[in-house]
Amino acid sequence: MSLVNVHNEWDPVEEIIVGTALHAVMPHEDKGFQVIQQASHDLFDSLVPGALPQRIIDETEEDIQHFVEELEKLHIQVRRPKAIEFKEKFKTLDWEAEHYFSYCPRDILLAVGGTIIETPNVFRSRYFETFEYKDILLDYMKSGSRWISAPKPRLLDELYNDSDPSQSALRNLEPVFDAANVLRAGRDIFYLVSDSGNELGCQWLQNALGEEYRVHPCHNLYSSMHIDTTICLLRPGLALINPSRVSKDNLPPLLKDWDIVTAPDMVEFKYSDLGSFSTAWLGMNLLMLAPNLAVVDKHQLPLIKLLEKQGIETIPLMLRHGRTLGGGFHCITLDVRRKGKLEDYFS
Ligand code: ABU
């Protein structure tokens, strides 16, 4: 039976991939990385490029190890990528780049139903990232999962808009998107159109998933990277929103009959001066392990209280350097199998 079988963001998790900080490097020259970071300069502090200090790697691995132990206590099958140390830059016909990391499987692989998709990511430095998951992907394919890869984007300079700040930093020249621009809700798939996912990416995804699914482009929600610090689908009929980005005016119309809870201000914390590639809203980047159980950043006590009021128990854990690396508990995981079946939650 296919080891990949997942239909939403909340059913009980049976198998999950958890990323690693080993060999993480903040790339020096990556046009996409630079342009998108520049476009979001009011959101992120500038990052120090180069290999991350060993302390940051070690503390992150320690935090991830605690997280994995909690998952295993719940009898969830955990798989980890094999981080490759890219000692040299790599080249395509058009450009060269340094390899980034394998910390966020959520960005590069998308699991929908029995299919796992290698997505056409926006950063050049992620071009070969799925190599680190090859053994896992092979196992999934052998079990009967459908393993596909989106067309490799060329990521030419003209894809990135660095001249007109009133437009997206990502032009619509070829399908490009990070898997973290997507949220799954049964037959309905939310797709954030932003600097990390363009319209052609949305169209490609709809074509790839076929008529069984409806992919909904979400505009004017958040212009920067990823949807999972903007909206969290907690269980059928209940979503958490980021009040600095979402209001009744731009709430995706599909959610209009759902109960909406508003995230409280995030608690800020700092374990290094290395800068950040995410906003304080990374604190709401939680992972639902079941409709009544979430893994949440342990600093976010007001959020934990709010979830508990909604009948959601929490496992408070920490990723001390999550903001520097740009990933919380949703970002650093890819839930590939959850109990449950394909359903329609909006009719
Ligand atoms: N990787 C998610 C970052 C999004 C945010 O900073 O809000």
Side-chain angles (χ1 to χ4, degrees):
M1 215 180 75
S2 169
L3 290 172
V4 177
N5 191 28
V6 57
H7 303 290
N8 55 49
E9 303 287 330
W10 56 76
D11 275 342
V13 177
E14 294 184 337
E15 177 157 341
I16 197 159
I17 302 174
V18 178
T20 171
L22 290 179
H23 307 310
V25 170
M26 291 298 153
H28 289 87
E29 300 157 39
D30 176 333
K31 178 99 180 168
F33 200 91
Q34 285 163 356
V35 172
I36 290 165
Q37 212 187 359
Q38 182 53 33
S40 304
H41 62 87
D42 52 335
L43 297 174
F44 310 133
D45 309 331
S46 58
L47 276 170
V48 180
L52 282 166
Q54 199 54 44
R55 173 178 78 87
I56 307 293
I57 307 263
D58 290 347
E59 290 180 356
T60 302
E61 285 304 286
E62 196 177 293
D63 292 345
I64 292 178
Q65 191 48 41
H66 287 144
F67 174 41
V68 167
E69 282 162 17
E70 290 298 322
L71 295 170
E72 288 177 341
K73 272 190 219 158
L74 297 167
H75 307 289
I76 294 172
Q77 169 77 48
V78 177
R79 298 194 191 226
R80 309 287 308 276
K82 283 199 184 109
I84 300 171
E85 187 177 6
F86 282 65
K87 296 212 165 93
E88 315 234 345
K89 286 182 182 172
F90 56 81
K91 268 185 181 176
T92 68
L93 287 175
D94 307 298
W95 44 259
E96 55 179 42
E98 287 161 286
H99 181 65
Y100 185 18
F101 62 17
S102 39
Y103 177 67
C104 290
R106 181 73 59 189
D107 302 349
I108 58 158
L109 292 166
L110 175 63
V112 180
T115 299
I116 189 152
I117 301 172
E118 297 185 42
T119 55
N121 292 86
V122 296
F123 292 164
R124 293 173 176 173
S125 50
R126 309 192 84 161
Y127 219 61
F128 293 111
E129 200 171 311
T130 56
F131 279 18
E132 299 170 308
Y133 298 81
K134 196 66 93 181
D135 292 346
I136 301 175
L137 291 166
L138 272 165
D139 272 356
Y140 290 164
M141 190 203 74
K142 287 180 195 161
S143 76
S145 313
R146 180 169 166 251
W147 170 22
I148 60 175
S149 174
K152 270 289 187 212
R154 248 178 113 168
L155 305 181
L156 296 177
D157 283 0
E158 49 267 37
L159 180 68
Y160 306 107
N161 163 31
D162 54 3
S163 55
D164 181 356
S166 70
Q167 301 295 313
S168 174
L170 193 62
R171 294 198 176 99
N172 198 35
L173 300 180
E174 60 178 339
V176 191
F177 68 99
D178 282 8
N181 273 48
V182 172
L183 291 174
R184 303 149 300 177
R187 291 188 192 280
D188 291 285
I189 305 286
F190 294 84
Y191 177 104
L192 176 73
V193 179
S194 77
D195 292 350
S196 53
N198 62 13
E199 296 274 2
L200 283 171
C202 185
Q203 189 177 341
W204 182 86
L205 183 61
Q206 178 66 75
N207 295 352
L209 294 178
E211 285 173 5
E212 216 173 1
Y213 292 91
R214 297 172 289 256
V215 181
H216 304 271
C218 303
H219 298 99
N220 305 319
L221 210 50
Y222 179 46
S223 65
S224 190
M225 304 278 297
H226 309 155
I227 193 168
D228 51 359
T229 54
T230 301
I231 297 180
C232 303
L233 304 178
L234 302 175
R235 63 174 178 244
L238 184 65
L240 175 74
I241 57 156
N242 174 335
S244 75
R245 299 178 191 162
V246 190
S247 67
K248 62 174 177 16
D249 298 329
N250 66 347
L251 183 75
L254 219 50
L255 293 177
K256 73 177 179 353
D257 294 328
W258 278 33
D259 292 333
I260 304 293
V261 282
T262 301
D265 285 344
M266 294 290 113
V267 177
E268 301 235 17
F269 57 92
K270 206 169 180 185
Y271 291 90
S272 88
D273 288 320
L274 281 176
S276 66
F277 201 24
S278 52
T279 63
W281 293 103
L282 201 69
M284 65 173 274
N285 188 259
L286 53 86
L287 174 72
M288 296 306 293
L289 293 179
N292 58 353
L293 183 63
V295 177
V296 189
D297 171 26
K298 75 179 218 183
H299 303 89
Q300 307 306 326
L301 292 178
L303 175 61
I304 289 173
K305 242 174 138 172
L306 179 114
L307 292 169
E308 286 173 352
K309 230 171 120 182
Q310 296 296 326
I312 297 172
E313 277 178 52
T314 58
I315 303 178
L317 293 172
M318 64 178 176
L319 285 169
R320 279 166 279 184
H321 306 291
R323 282 193 65 190
T324 297
L325 284 150
F329 292 103
H330 194 258
C331 303
I332 70 158
T333 52
L334 177 70
D335 42 309
V336 297
R337 198 169 66 259
R338 290 178 183 261
K339 284 198 176 91
K341 56 183 189 344
L342 183 59
E343 289 191 44
D344 197 329
Y345 297 100
F346 300 97
S347 57

PDB file of all heavy atoms in Angstrom, residues 5 12-13 61 79 99 144 164 168 209 217 227 230 242 258 260 283 311 332:
ATOM      1  N   ASN A   5      -0.019   8.939   1.609  1.00  0.00           N
ATOM      2  CA  ASN A   5      -1.484   8.938   1.581  1.00  0.00           C
ATOM      3  C   ASN A   5      -1.966  10.002   2.568  1.00  0.00           C
ATOM      4  O   ASN A   5      -2.116   9.759   3.756  1.00  0.00           O
ATOM      5  CB  ASN A   5      -2.009   7.549   1.977  1.00  0.00           C
ATOM      6  CG  ASN A   5      -3.489   7.423   1.706  1.00  0.00           C
ATOM      7  OD1 ASN A   5      -4.021   8.073   0.812  1.00  0.00           O
ATOM      8  ND2 ASN A   5      -4.172   6.625   2.500  1.00  0.00           N
ATOM      9  N   PRO A  12      -4.896  12.402  11.806  1.00  0.00           N
ATOM     10  CA  PRO A  12      -3.791  11.852  12.609  1.00  0.00           C
ATOM     11  C   PRO A  12      -2.605  11.407  11.739  1.00  0.00           C
ATOM     12  O   PRO A  12      -2.755  10.644  10.788  1.00  0.00           O
ATOM     13  CB  PRO A  12      -4.447  10.652  13.314  1.00  0.00           C
ATOM     14  CG  PRO A  12      -5.905  11.006  13.358  1.00  0.00           C
ATOM     15  CD  PRO A  12      -6.191  11.757  12.087  1.00  0.00           C
ATOM     16  N   VAL A  13      -1.443  11.889  12.105  1.00  0.00           N
ATOM     17  CA  VAL A  13      -0.227  11.615  11.307  1.00  0.00           C
ATOM     18  C   VAL A  13       0.284  10.205  11.586  1.00  0.00           C
ATOM     19  O   VAL A  13       0.374   9.786  12.744  1.00  0.00           O
ATOM     20  CB  VAL A  13       0.894  12.631  11.663  1.00  0.00           C
ATOM     21  CG1 VAL A  13       2.176  12.308  10.892  1.00  0.00           C
ATOM     22  CG2 VAL A  13       0.459  14.052  11.380  1.00  0.00           C
ATOM     23  N   GLU A  61      20.062  20.667  15.679  1.00  0.00           N
ATOM     24  CA  GLU A  61      19.932  19.201  15.641  1.00  0.00           C
ATOM     25  C   GLU A  61      19.430  18.663  16.989  1.00  0.00           C
ATOM     26  O   GLU A  61      18.652  17.713  17.035  1.00  0.00           O
ATOM     27  CB  GLU A  61      21.263  18.543  15.256  1.00  0.00           C
ATOM     28  CG  GLU A  61      21.592  18.688  13.777  1.00  0.00           C
ATOM     29  CD  GLU A  61      20.489  18.130  12.858  1.00  0.00           C
ATOM     30  OE1 GLU A  61      20.355  16.899  12.742  1.00  0.00           O
ATOM     31  OE2 GLU A  61      19.741  18.939  12.290  1.00  0.00           O
ATOM     32  N   ARG A  79      11.119   9.823   9.076  1.00  0.00           N
ATOM     33  CA  ARG A  79      12.256   9.637   8.163  1.00  0.00           C
ATOM     34  C   ARG A  79      13.027  10.939   8.075  1.00  0.00           C
ATOM     35  O   ARG A  79      12.440  12.014   8.151  1.00  0.00           O
ATOM     36  CB  ARG A  79      11.787   9.245   6.770  1.00  0.00           C
ATOM     37  CG  ARG A  79      11.047   7.923   6.791  1.00  0.00           C
ATOM     38  CD  ARG A  79      10.922   7.418   5.382  1.00  0.00           C
ATOM     39  NE  ARG A  79      10.004   6.319   5.349  1.00  0.00           N
ATOM     40  CZ  ARG A  79      10.238   5.187   4.713  1.00  0.00           C
ATOM     41  NH1 ARG A  79      11.370   5.003   4.062  1.00  0.00           N
ATOM     42  NH2 ARG A  79       9.324   4.246   4.708  1.00  0.00           N
ATOM     43  N   HIS A  99      24.798  25.264  -2.757  1.00  0.00           N
ATOM     44  CA  HIS A  99      23.666  24.513  -2.195  1.00  0.00           C
ATOM     45  C   HIS A  99      23.256  25.149  -0.863  1.00  0.00           C
ATOM     46  O   HIS A  99      24.081  25.655  -0.118  1.00  0.00           O
ATOM     47  CB  HIS A  99      24.085  23.062  -1.984  1.00  0.00           C
ATOM     48  CG  HIS A  99      22.988  22.207  -1.444  1.00  0.00           C
ATOM     49  ND1 HIS A  99      21.848  21.948  -2.150  1.00  0.00           N
ATOM     50  CD2 HIS A  99      22.857  21.553  -0.264  1.00  0.00           C
ATOM     51  CE1 HIS A  99      21.055  21.174  -1.431  1.00  0.00           C
ATOM     52  NE2 HIS A  99      21.644  20.917  -0.286  1.00  0.00           N
ATOM     53  N   GLY A 144       4.207   2.019  -4.118  1.00  0.00           N
ATOM     54  CA  GLY A 144       3.041   2.297  -4.963  1.00  0.00           C
ATOM     55  C   GLY A 144       2.666   3.772  -5.032  1.00  0.00           C
ATOM     56  O   GLY A 144       1.678   4.133  -5.680  1.00  0.00           O
ATOM     57  N   ASP A 164      10.874  46.767 -10.108  1.00  0.00           N
ATOM     58  CA  ASP A 164       9.583  47.416  -9.848  1.00  0.00           C
ATOM     59  C   ASP A 164       8.985  46.884  -8.539  1.00  0.00           C
ATOM     60  O   ASP A 164       8.314  45.848  -8.512  1.00  0.00           O
ATOM     61  CB  ASP A 164       8.636  47.122 -11.029  1.00  0.00           C
ATOM     62  CG  ASP A 164       7.281  47.787 -10.841  1.00  0.00           C
ATOM     63  OD1 ASP A 164       7.064  48.407  -9.780  1.00  0.00           O
ATOM     64  OD2 ASP A 164       6.435  47.677 -11.751  1.00  0.00           O
ATOM     65  N   SER A 168       5.209  41.768  -7.922  1.00  0.00           N
ATOM     66  CA  SER A 168       5.827  40.623  -7.243  1.00  0.00           C
ATOM     67  C   SER A 168       7.300  40.511  -7.636  1.00  0.00           C
ATOM     68  O   SER A 168       7.684  40.879  -8.750  1.00  0.00           O
ATOM     69  CB  SER A 168       5.096  39.346  -7.666  1.00  0.00           C
ATOM     70  OG  SER A 168       5.758  38.224  -7.148  1.00  0.00           O
ATOM     71  N   LEU A 209      -2.598  17.625 -10.651  1.00  0.00           N
ATOM     72  CA  LEU A 209      -3.490  16.918  -9.717  1.00  0.00           C
ATOM     73  C   LEU A 209      -4.771  16.436 -10.394  1.00  0.00           C
ATOM     74  O   LEU A 209      -5.405  15.484  -9.940  1.00  0.00           O
ATOM     75  CB  LEU A 209      -3.832  17.814  -8.521  1.00  0.00           C
ATOM     76  CG  LEU A 209      -2.654  18.160  -7.592  1.00  0.00           C
ATOM     77  CD1 LEU A 209      -3.118  19.096  -6.483  1.00  0.00           C
ATOM     78  CD2 LEU A 209      -2.046  16.893  -6.972  1.00  0.00           C
ATOM     79  N   PRO A 217      -6.144  29.690  -6.291  1.00  0.00           N
ATOM     80  CA  PRO A 217      -5.096  30.698  -6.104  1.00  0.00           C
ATOM     81  C   PRO A 217      -5.527  31.730  -5.061  1.00  0.00           C
ATOM     82  O   PRO A 217      -6.661  32.201  -5.095  1.00  0.00           O
ATOM     83  CB  PRO A 217      -4.957  31.345  -7.498  1.00  0.00           C
ATOM     84  CG  PRO A 217      -6.209  31.005  -8.227  1.00  0.00           C
ATOM     85  CD  PRO A 217      -6.815  29.781  -7.603  1.00  0.00           C
ATOM     86  N   ILE A 227       2.757  30.113   2.790  1.00  0.00           N
ATOM     87  CA  ILE A 227       1.426  30.410   3.350  1.00  0.00           C
ATOM     88  C   ILE A 227       1.309  30.035   4.839  1.00  0.00           C
ATOM     89  O   ILE A 227       0.379  30.445   5.531  1.00  0.00           O
ATOM     90  CB  ILE A 227       0.323  29.688   2.519  1.00  0.00           C
ATOM     91  CG1 ILE A 227      -1.074  30.236   2.864  1.00  0.00           C
ATOM     92  CG2 ILE A 227       0.394  28.171   2.662  1.00  0.00           C
ATOM     93  CD1 ILE A 227      -2.178  29.794   1.909  1.00  0.00           C
ATOM     94  N   THR A 230       0.603  32.402   7.717  1.00  0.00           N
ATOM     95  CA  THR A 230      -0.498  33.319   7.395  1.00  0.00           C
ATOM     96  C   THR A 230      -1.844  32.678   7.732  1.00  0.00           C
ATOM     97  O   THR A 230      -2.704  33.294   8.349  1.00  0.00           O
ATOM     98  CB  THR A 230      -0.422  33.708   5.899  1.00  0.00           C
ATOM     99  OG1 THR A 230       0.843  34.336   5.673  1.00  0.00           O
ATOM    100  CG2 THR A 230      -1.533  34.656   5.493  1.00  0.00           C
ATOM    101  N   ASN A 242      -3.372  34.934  10.637  1.00  0.00           N
ATOM    102  CA  ASN A 242      -2.413  35.949  11.052  1.00  0.00           C
ATOM    103  C   ASN A 242      -3.089  37.315  10.847  1.00  0.00           C
ATOM    104  O   ASN A 242      -3.341  37.712   9.710  1.00  0.00           O
ATOM    105  CB  ASN A 242      -1.173  35.791  10.169  1.00  0.00           C
ATOM    106  CG  ASN A 242      -0.144  36.864  10.395  1.00  0.00           C
ATOM    107  OD1 ASN A 242      -0.459  37.962  10.835  1.00  0.00           O
ATOM    108  ND2 ASN A 242       1.078  36.546  10.051  1.00  0.00           N
ATOM    109  N   TRP A 258     -16.181  28.969   7.734  1.00  0.00           N
ATOM    110  CA  TRP A 258     -15.421  28.315   8.809  1.00  0.00           C
ATOM    111  C   TRP A 258     -15.321  29.249  10.012  1.00  0.00           C
ATOM    112  O   TRP A 258     -15.438  30.469   9.870  1.00  0.00           O
ATOM    113  CB  TRP A 258     -14.011  27.971   8.314  1.00  0.00           C
ATOM    114  CG  TRP A 258     -13.927  26.691   7.511  1.00  0.00           C
ATOM    115  CD1 TRP A 258     -14.883  26.194   6.681  1.00  0.00           C
ATOM    116  CD2 TRP A 258     -12.835  25.780   7.486  1.00  0.00           C
ATOM    117  NE1 TRP A 258     -14.450  25.013   6.126  1.00  0.00           N
ATOM    118  CE2 TRP A 258     -13.190  24.735   6.603  1.00  0.00           C
ATOM    119  CE3 TRP A 258     -11.586  25.712   8.095  1.00  0.00           C
ATOM    120  CZ2 TRP A 258     -12.347  23.654   6.332  1.00  0.00           C
ATOM    121  CZ3 TRP A 258     -10.738  24.648   7.823  1.00  0.00           C
ATOM    122  CH2 TRP A 258     -11.126  23.622   6.958  1.00  0.00           C
ATOM    123  N   ILE A 260     -13.105  31.227  12.430  1.00  0.00           N
ATOM    124  CA  ILE A 260     -11.754  31.770  12.264  1.00  0.00           C
ATOM    125  C   ILE A 260     -11.270  32.260  13.619  1.00  0.00           C
ATOM    126  O   ILE A 260     -11.952  33.058  14.263  1.00  0.00           O
ATOM    127  CB  ILE A 260     -11.762  32.960  11.259  1.00  0.00           C
ATOM    128  CG1 ILE A 260     -12.360  32.530   9.904  1.00  0.00           C
ATOM    129  CG2 ILE A 260     -10.380  33.575  11.106  1.00  0.00           C
ATOM    130  CD1 ILE A 260     -11.553  31.525   9.117  1.00  0.00           C
ATOM    131  N   GLY A 283       6.184  31.862  14.780  1.00  0.00           N
ATOM    132  CA  GLY A 283       5.610  31.273  15.994  1.00  0.00           C
ATOM    133  C   GLY A 283       4.279  30.587  15.749  1.00  0.00           C
ATOM    134  O   GLY A 283       3.850  29.745  16.528  1.00  0.00           O
ATOM    135  N   GLY A 311      -9.944  23.400  22.295  1.00  0.00           N
ATOM    136  CA  GLY A 311      -9.944  21.940  22.481  1.00  0.00           C
ATOM    137  C   GLY A 311      -8.754  21.270  21.810  1.00  0.00           C
ATOM    138  O   GLY A 311      -8.775  20.061  21.561  1.00  0.00           O
ATOM    139  N   ILE A 332       9.662  22.439   8.766  1.00  0.00           N
ATOM    140  CA  ILE A 332      10.747  21.437   8.795  1.00  0.00           C
ATOM    141  C   ILE A 332      10.217  20.010   8.654  1.00  0.00           C
ATOM    142  O   ILE A 332      10.948  19.049   8.876  1.00  0.00           O
ATOM    143  CB  ILE A 332      11.644  21.561  10.047  1.00  0.00           C
ATOM    144  CG1 ILE A 332      10.916  21.124  11.339  1.00  0.00           C
ATOM    145  CG2 ILE A 332      12.203  22.967  10.178  1.00  0.00           C
ATOM    146  CD1 ILE A 332      11.875  20.728  12.459  1.00  0.00           C
TER     147      ILE A 332
END
